[in-house]
Amino acid sequence: MLRSLTVSICQRAQPLTSLTSRYCSSIRAENSLTVDALYNLSVDVSKIRKLKAWVLHQNPAYVMEAAALLRNMGASGTVIARVLELHPEAILCRPEHLEAQKELWLSVCANQRDLIGVIEKFPASFFTSPCHLENHRANVVFFQSLGLNKRIVAKLMASAPQSFSRPVEQNEEMAQMLQKMYLELGGNETDLKVWLQKLLSQNPYVLMKPPETFWTNLRFLQSRGFTSIELLQLLSKLKGFVTEVQPESMDLTLCYSQEMLGCTDTELRQIVLKCPALLYYSVPILSDRFKGLLGAGISLQQIMETPTVLELTTQIVQYRIQKLHSHGYDIRAGSLEVLNGTKKDFEMSFGKLRLRRERPLFNPVAPLRADE
């Protein structure tokens, strides 16, 4: 009986022992050659261990080959170390694949220095899987056939590598759909190529969206009274971001905006045409921005005249209003245009306003002060 009990226990222990054995064998030690090579290149290995430790366990690895490729293109030791820290998977790319990638990228980059600049900012776009290489080549040819110059193609490859990794047929289908939609909305065939070039250069991810999304959103906007010409304007101004929203969210946003502004359907459409971004802001975001503007003494009529002010965060609006107020400009009595734009745009507008106010009174061509 004791013997049978012992056999039974041993038999039950076998699966556990086997599992432990498999688990232990699956845990590899770090590749010491890889780690030493990275240290020699002044790479912060602790960062890699923290974020992508699995890379250090792989064999083979091509640390020195990846570094040599970058160095031969003019990269400094600091740049090489930074690239390998940001994207350690680079050391797993075979040398022959890297050479093929280099050749492909140099077909769209002006020179090796420009390519190093791209790799430094977007290492994952250069150090890709070899299984995507043929797709990359075919898509480069396709995008160039659309009339996109090399600089724009390089920009697209860097910022939207997924568009180049997928089969070229999918990009061709989406591009054809965009062209068809542009013409159906009344676009001029003469301007079609330029329009598509601009759209893709501004938002390359538009090709990654299913065609149905475009048509669904356009049908919704048509149901809200937008004409074909107005839809074409919206599509161009939104840079393809109309694919990022859903009819339900747009409906909520439009209803809220109309209720806040107390405007008619026609007035609302004109406001959206002035500020297309209104379509993809959520109600909570708009509520916060309306509250901030109204709290600063700005009227609803002013917002309707310059709705693009809603693109600015409440913090930015408050900062700009305070800066204008410190130089005697009362935003409640003036135009909101001075608030608009990027930081650089605002500083330029603010500088012109301050210069106009500081001109000596004896200057016969100086404009009158805004408060006179």
Side-chain angles (χ1 to χ4, degrees), residues 234-300:
L234 281 177
L235 187 63
S236 300
K237 288 183 178 179
L238 281 171
K239 304 172 185 177
F241 286 107
V242 70
T243 59
E244 308 295 331
V245 291
Q246 300 293 330
E248 295 78 12
S249 62
M250 286 192 288
D251 189 49
L252 288 172
T253 295
L254 290 173
C255 289
Y256 174 78
S257 299
Q258 187 169 22
E259 183 180 348
M260 280 296 300
L261 295 169
C263 59
T264 65
D265 290 346
T266 302
E267 289 172 330
L268 180 64
R269 287 195 296 272
Q270 292 306 309
I271 290 169
V272 172
L273 288 172
K274 288 182 182 179
C275 180
L278 200 66
L279 290 173
Y280 56 82
Y281 288 135
S282 66
V283 170
I285 288 177
L286 281 177
S287 175
D288 179 67
R289 294 184 182 181
F290 270 112
K291 184 178 179 181
L293 291 167
L294 296 175
I298 293 171
S299 68
L300 290 174

XYZ file of all heavy atoms in Angstrom, residues 234-300:
516
model
N -15.376 71.630 -45.679
C -15.136 71.005 -44.379
C -14.079 69.918 -44.477
O -13.170 69.836 -43.647
C -16.429 70.391 -43.833
C -17.434 71.337 -43.183
C -18.676 70.561 -42.770
C -16.821 72.025 -41.977
N -14.205 69.087 -45.492
C -13.267 67.986 -45.662
C -11.845 68.508 -45.840
O -10.892 67.947 -45.300
C -13.669 67.140 -46.874
C -12.882 65.849 -47.087
C -13.095 64.908 -45.912
C -13.312 65.173 -48.382
N -11.707 69.591 -46.577
C -10.385 70.176 -46.811
C -9.837 70.826 -45.547
O -8.677 70.649 -45.199
C -10.461 71.204 -47.942
O -10.914 70.606 -49.143
N -10.691 71.561 -44.843
C -10.230 72.264 -43.643
C -9.931 71.301 -42.502
O -9.026 71.535 -41.704
C -11.283 73.279 -43.197
C -11.387 74.494 -44.111
C -12.405 75.495 -43.577
C -12.488 76.722 -44.452
N -13.491 77.700 -43.941
N -10.701 70.208 -42.418
C -10.489 69.244 -41.340
C -9.317 68.313 -41.613
O -8.955 67.492 -40.779
C -11.759 68.407 -41.123
C -12.862 69.070 -40.326
C -14.126 68.238 -40.378
C -12.437 69.284 -38.889
N -8.726 68.427 -42.803
C -7.538 67.633 -43.156
C -7.785 66.130 -42.992
O -6.915 65.375 -42.571
C -6.352 68.058 -42.277
C -6.049 69.544 -42.351
C -5.006 69.951 -41.341
C -4.797 71.450 -41.340
N -3.826 71.894 -40.324
N -9.005 65.711 -43.303
C -9.306 64.287 -43.214
C -9.688 63.823 -41.824
O -10.018 62.658 -41.636
N -9.663 64.723 -40.835
C -9.977 64.300 -39.472
C -11.470 64.033 -39.268
O -11.885 63.651 -38.182
C -9.498 65.348 -38.460
C -8.017 65.357 -38.277
C -7.246 66.377 -38.803
C -7.374 64.332 -37.606
C -5.868 66.384 -38.648
C -6.005 64.323 -37.444
C -5.245 65.360 -37.976
N -12.252 64.230 -40.323
C -13.664 63.885 -40.252
C -13.823 62.388 -40.008
O -14.870 61.923 -39.561
C -14.393 64.315 -41.545
C -13.983 63.461 -42.716
C -15.898 64.309 -41.350
N -12.782 61.619 -40.278
C -12.827 60.174 -40.015
C -12.642 59.845 -38.541
O -12.851 58.707 -38.135
C -11.727 59.450 -40.813
O -10.444 59.984 -40.434
C -11.910 59.646 -42.305
N -12.238 60.824 -37.751
C -11.946 60.560 -36.338
C -13.177 60.682 -35.457
O -13.097 60.475 -34.248
C -10.869 61.553 -35.833
C -9.612 61.628 -36.695
C -8.842 60.334 -36.702
O -8.903 59.596 -35.705
O -8.175 60.051 -37.726
N -14.304 61.072 -36.020
C -15.507 61.299 -35.217
C -16.634 60.378 -35.672
O -16.557 59.749 -36.720
C -15.962 62.780 -35.313
C -14.966 63.682 -34.618
C -16.127 63.200 -36.775
N -17.675 60.351 -34.868
C -18.858 59.546 -35.155
C -20.073 60.463 -35.265
O -20.114 61.532 -34.638
C -19.096 58.513 -34.050
C -17.961 57.527 -33.858
C -17.789 56.593 -35.040
O -18.757 56.275 -35.733
N -16.563 56.169 -35.291
N -21.080 60.084 -36.048
C -22.289 60.918 -36.162
C -22.908 61.254 -34.807
O -23.381 62.373 -34.594
C -23.227 60.046 -37.005
C -22.308 59.221 -37.837
C -21.132 58.912 -36.949
N -22.904 60.281 -33.889
C -23.508 60.515 -32.574
C -22.803 61.644 -31.827
O -23.451 62.521 -31.237
C -23.464 59.236 -31.730
C -24.301 58.097 -32.272
C -23.630 57.373 -33.439
O -22.424 57.610 -33.684
O -24.319 56.575 -34.107
N -21.466 61.625 -31.843
C -20.719 62.654 -31.119
C -20.871 64.010 -31.802
O -20.986 65.045 -31.131
C -19.237 62.276 -31.025
O -18.647 62.177 -32.309
N -20.889 64.024 -33.145
C -21.084 65.294 -33.855
C -22.461 65.870 -33.560
O -22.618 67.091 -33.407
C -20.907 65.082 -35.362
C -19.460 64.893 -35.792
S -19.230 65.000 -37.597
C -19.973 63.447 -38.126
N -23.457 65.010 -33.490
C -24.814 65.479 -33.212
C -24.897 66.124 -31.834
O -25.498 67.198 -31.667
C -25.784 64.298 -33.307
C -27.233 64.742 -33.243
O -27.606 65.667 -33.981
O -28.002 64.169 -32.437
N -24.286 65.489 -30.841
C -24.277 66.057 -29.488
C -23.581 67.417 -29.469
O -24.052 68.378 -28.849
C -23.575 65.106 -28.521
C -24.317 63.820 -28.158
C -23.413 62.889 -27.351
C -25.591 64.139 -27.364
N -22.450 67.498 -30.166
C -21.682 68.735 -30.198
C -22.462 69.857 -30.873
O -22.499 70.996 -30.386
C -20.351 68.508 -30.946
O -19.554 67.592 -30.198
C -19.590 69.801 -31.116
N -23.087 69.544 -32.003
C -23.834 70.564 -32.734
C -25.042 71.035 -31.937
O -25.336 72.236 -31.889
C -24.274 70.008 -34.094
C -23.148 69.778 -35.115
C -23.678 69.066 -36.346
C -22.492 71.095 -35.507
N -25.746 70.104 -31.319
C -26.920 70.476 -30.509
C -26.512 71.361 -29.336
O -27.168 72.370 -29.038
C -27.635 69.228 -30.011
S -28.494 68.303 -31.305
N -25.420 70.996 -28.674
C -24.958 71.786 -27.525
C -24.539 73.179 -27.979
O -24.890 74.185 -27.335
C -23.792 71.083 -26.841
C -23.172 71.911 -25.746
C -23.782 72.015 -24.497
C -21.993 72.622 -25.967
C -23.229 72.801 -23.497
C -21.436 73.411 -24.975
C -22.058 73.496 -23.740
O -21.503 74.289 -22.756
N -23.781 73.269 -29.062
C -23.304 74.558 -29.554
C -24.476 75.456 -29.942
O -24.478 76.656 -29.632
C -22.381 74.363 -30.756
O -21.253 73.593 -30.407
N -25.463 74.880 -30.602
C -26.625 75.676 -31.020
C -27.405 76.178 -29.811
O -27.866 77.325 -29.784
C -27.526 74.839 -31.931
C -28.675 75.638 -32.546
C -29.378 74.862 -33.645
O -29.305 73.632 -33.700
N -30.065 75.562 -34.530
N -27.523 75.324 -28.813
C -28.236 75.726 -27.595
C -27.490 76.839 -26.864
O -28.090 77.811 -26.392
C -28.399 74.520 -26.675
C -29.184 74.822 -25.405
C -29.332 73.603 -24.512
O -29.034 72.488 -24.976
O -29.741 73.775 -23.352
N -26.163 76.724 -26.779
C -25.359 77.736 -26.094
C -25.408 79.073 -26.821
O -25.535 80.137 -26.202
C -23.909 77.274 -25.976
C -23.644 76.312 -24.849
S -23.945 77.031 -23.198
C -22.790 78.404 -23.194
N -25.277 79.034 -28.138
C -25.192 80.269 -28.916
C -26.567 80.846 -29.250
O -26.676 82.021 -29.627
C -24.420 80.004 -30.208
C -22.945 79.627 -30.018
C -22.349 79.129 -31.325
C -22.150 80.813 -29.481
N -27.598 80.015 -29.151
C -28.935 80.491 -29.471
C -29.072 80.902 -30.927
O -29.724 81.903 -31.241
N -28.465 80.133 -31.810
C -28.453 80.494 -33.232
C -29.363 79.583 -34.049
O -29.789 78.521 -33.581
C -27.021 80.431 -33.769
S -26.253 78.800 -33.612
N -29.615 79.981 -35.274
C -30.429 79.178 -36.174
C -29.576 78.076 -36.804
O -28.355 78.068 -36.677
C -31.012 80.055 -37.294
O -29.920 80.550 -38.100
C -31.791 81.228 -36.720
N -30.251 77.160 -37.517
C -29.523 76.090 -38.206
C -28.547 76.662 -39.227
O -27.414 76.190 -39.367
C -30.502 75.146 -38.909
C -31.302 74.303 -37.929
O -30.911 74.261 -36.739
O -32.309 73.700 -38.342
N -28.993 77.680 -39.958
C -28.147 78.306 -40.977
C -26.931 78.970 -40.331
O -25.796 78.826 -40.819
C -28.943 79.355 -41.777
O -30.073 78.718 -42.391
C -28.074 80.003 -42.844
N -27.161 79.677 -39.237
C -26.051 80.330 -38.537
C -25.072 79.307 -37.984
O -23.847 79.503 -38.023
C -26.597 81.213 -37.399
C -27.310 82.464 -37.882
C -27.997 83.212 -36.751
O -28.422 82.556 -35.767
O -28.118 84.440 -36.836
N -25.618 78.190 -37.501
C -24.759 77.144 -36.953
C -23.845 76.569 -38.033
O -22.656 76.336 -37.804
C -25.602 76.029 -36.340
C -24.818 74.864 -35.728
C -23.976 75.333 -34.549
C -25.764 73.746 -35.296
N -24.397 76.348 -39.225
C -23.575 75.817 -40.321
C -22.459 76.792 -40.694
O -21.324 76.374 -40.959
C -24.456 75.514 -41.542
C -25.328 74.283 -41.369
C -25.899 73.809 -42.691
N -26.812 74.790 -43.280
C -28.111 74.857 -43.027
N -28.666 73.995 -42.174
N -28.872 75.754 -43.617
N -22.760 78.072 -40.690
C -21.727 79.069 -40.998
C -20.642 79.100 -39.923
O -19.458 79.275 -40.212
C -22.355 80.462 -41.134
C -23.260 80.622 -42.341
C -22.568 80.235 -43.642
O -21.467 80.705 -43.939
N -23.208 79.361 -44.411
N -21.050 78.889 -38.684
C -20.084 78.840 -37.580
C -19.159 77.638 -37.747
O -17.945 77.738 -37.577
C -20.819 78.793 -36.226
C -21.486 80.139 -35.946
C -19.870 78.412 -35.089
C -22.446 80.114 -34.773
N -19.742 76.493 -38.103
C -18.943 75.283 -38.305
C -17.983 75.454 -39.478
O -16.842 74.985 -39.440
C -19.857 74.060 -38.512
C -19.044 72.840 -38.918
C -20.639 73.762 -37.238
N -18.430 76.130 -40.534
C -17.561 76.360 -41.688
C -16.368 77.248 -41.314
O -15.267 77.089 -41.841
C -18.345 76.999 -42.834
C -19.330 76.070 -43.557
C -20.188 76.845 -44.541
C -18.579 74.954 -44.270
N -16.602 78.174 -40.386
C -15.508 79.030 -39.904
C -14.594 78.255 -38.964
O -13.383 78.480 -38.932
C -16.070 80.247 -39.160
C -16.728 81.282 -40.034
C -17.205 82.454 -39.169
C -17.926 83.510 -39.996
N -18.419 84.635 -39.142
N -15.196 77.350 -38.196
C -14.436 76.586 -37.200
C -14.815 75.105 -37.290
O -15.548 74.585 -36.444
C -14.722 77.127 -35.790
S -13.830 76.266 -34.473
N -14.313 74.394 -38.311
C -14.659 72.971 -38.490
C -14.266 72.102 -37.307
O -14.870 71.057 -37.081
C -13.870 72.585 -39.741
C -13.612 73.858 -40.463
C -13.435 74.885 -39.389
N -13.252 72.537 -36.558
C -12.804 71.747 -35.407
C -13.918 71.558 -34.391
O -13.869 70.644 -33.551
C -11.604 72.426 -34.744
N -14.933 72.402 -34.470
C -16.077 72.301 -33.560
C -16.700 70.917 -33.627
O -17.249 70.419 -32.637
C -17.120 73.356 -33.954
C -18.156 73.765 -32.908
C -17.486 74.487 -31.750
C -19.216 74.658 -33.548
N -16.580 70.254 -34.766
C -17.232 68.956 -34.968
C -16.634 67.847 -34.119
O -17.314 66.875 -33.803
C -17.157 68.554 -36.447
C -18.010 69.362 -37.417
C -17.700 68.962 -38.848
C -19.487 69.182 -37.111
N -15.345 67.954 -33.785
C -14.765 66.835 -33.047
C -14.383 67.164 -31.608
O -13.703 66.385 -30.954
C -13.582 66.210 -33.796
C -12.439 67.119 -34.168
C -11.449 67.444 -33.257
C -12.323 67.617 -35.462
C -10.383 68.243 -33.606
C -11.257 68.415 -35.820
C -10.294 68.721 -34.901
O -9.239 69.525 -35.260
N -14.846 68.319 -31.105
C -14.682 68.587 -29.672
C -15.868 67.982 -28.928
O -17.015 68.100 -29.358
C -14.627 70.090 -29.388
C -13.346 70.752 -29.829
C -13.362 71.959 -30.518
C -12.107 70.167 -29.559
C -12.185 72.562 -30.926
C -10.932 70.766 -29.962
C -10.974 71.961 -30.643
O -9.807 72.554 -31.048
N -15.594 67.356 -27.800
C -16.678 66.772 -27.006
C -17.427 67.869 -26.266
O -16.929 68.982 -26.083
C -16.112 65.765 -26.001
O -15.306 66.436 -25.035
N -18.627 67.547 -25.816
C -19.443 68.516 -25.085
C -18.736 69.005 -23.811
O -18.737 70.207 -23.534
C -20.828 67.925 -24.762
C -21.596 68.825 -23.782
C -21.625 67.741 -26.044
N -18.127 68.124 -22.993
C -17.426 68.625 -21.799
C -16.313 69.628 -22.128
O -16.130 70.617 -21.405
C -16.847 67.348 -21.174
C -17.761 66.264 -21.621
C -18.155 66.638 -23.020
N -15.576 69.393 -23.200
C -14.507 70.329 -23.588
C -15.114 71.670 -24.003
O -14.650 72.737 -23.576
C -13.665 69.738 -24.731
C -12.804 68.587 -24.205
C -12.773 70.805 -25.375
C -11.995 67.883 -25.276
N -16.147 71.624 -24.829
C -16.784 72.866 -25.267
C -17.402 73.613 -24.085
O -17.327 74.843 -24.012
C -17.861 72.566 -26.306
C -17.369 72.298 -27.727
C -18.546 71.945 -28.624
C -16.629 73.504 -28.286
N -18.006 72.871 -23.178
C -18.621 73.493 -22.000
C -17.573 74.266 -21.194
O -17.808 75.410 -20.783
C -19.263 72.418 -21.129
O -19.759 72.972 -19.932
N -16.411 73.660 -21.020
C -15.336 74.315 -20.279
C -14.862 75.577 -21.002
O -14.601 76.607 -20.370
C -14.178 73.339 -20.095
C -13.008 73.948 -19.361
O -13.160 74.254 -18.157
O -11.939 74.142 -19.981
N -14.772 75.505 -22.319
C -14.268 76.655 -23.081
C -15.291 77.783 -23.143
O -14.919 78.959 -23.041
C -13.846 76.190 -24.479
C -12.649 75.264 -24.385
C -12.103 74.821 -25.715
N -10.986 73.897 -25.490
C -10.264 73.340 -26.449
N -10.528 73.622 -27.715
N -9.277 72.522 -26.150
N -16.558 77.450 -23.306
C -17.599 78.482 -23.255
C -17.595 79.165 -21.888
O -17.696 80.392 -21.795
C -18.973 77.861 -23.524
C -19.376 77.846 -24.975
C -19.485 76.648 -25.666
C -19.648 79.023 -25.645
C -19.862 76.624 -26.999
C -20.029 79.015 -26.983
C -20.134 77.809 -27.671
N -17.497 78.363 -20.852
C -17.497 78.909 -19.489
C -16.334 79.865 -19.289
O -16.491 80.944 -18.690
C -17.418 77.759 -18.479
C -17.510 78.187 -17.033
C -17.480 76.965 -16.110
C -17.546 77.389 -14.645
N -17.497 76.199 -13.741
N -15.161 79.494 -19.775
C -13.993 80.353 -19.628
C -14.132 81.661 -20.384
O -13.774 82.730 -19.872
N -14.666 81.594 -21.607
C -14.830 82.805 -22.413
C -15.889 83.733 -21.817
O -15.675 84.953 -21.695
C -15.220 82.423 -23.843
C -14.127 81.731 -24.678
C -14.722 81.122 -25.939
C -13.021 82.720 -25.038
N -17.023 83.163 -21.437
C -18.089 83.981 -20.855
C -17.657 84.567 -19.512
O -18.009 85.703 -19.171
C -19.357 83.139 -20.693
C -19.985 82.628 -22.001
C -21.164 81.702 -21.707
C -20.421 83.787 -22.885
N -16.877 83.800 -18.766
C -16.376 84.291 -17.485
C -15.423 85.456 -17.630
O -15.244 86.257 -16.699
N -14.794 85.562 -18.800
C -13.865 86.673 -19.056
C -14.592 87.897 -19.600
O -13.951 88.899 -19.943
C -12.789 86.225 -20.045
N -15.920 87.803 -19.682
C -16.701 88.948 -20.146
C -16.946 88.977 -21.639
O -17.472 89.957 -22.168
N -16.551 87.926 -22.330
C -16.753 87.851 -23.772
C -18.202 87.458 -24.053
O -18.760 86.583 -23.385
C -15.774 86.838 -24.400
C -14.343 87.356 -24.268
C -16.110 86.559 -25.854
C -13.287 86.352 -24.650
N -18.803 88.101 -25.046
C -20.209 87.859 -25.341
C -20.386 86.706 -26.322
O -19.464 86.340 -27.052
C -20.847 89.118 -25.931
O -20.300 89.382 -27.228
N -21.600 86.151 -26.343
C -21.916 85.088 -27.293
C -21.826 85.595 -28.728
O -21.423 84.863 -29.639
C -23.307 84.543 -27.020
C -23.475 83.732 -25.727
C -24.939 83.383 -25.503
C -22.634 82.457 -25.777
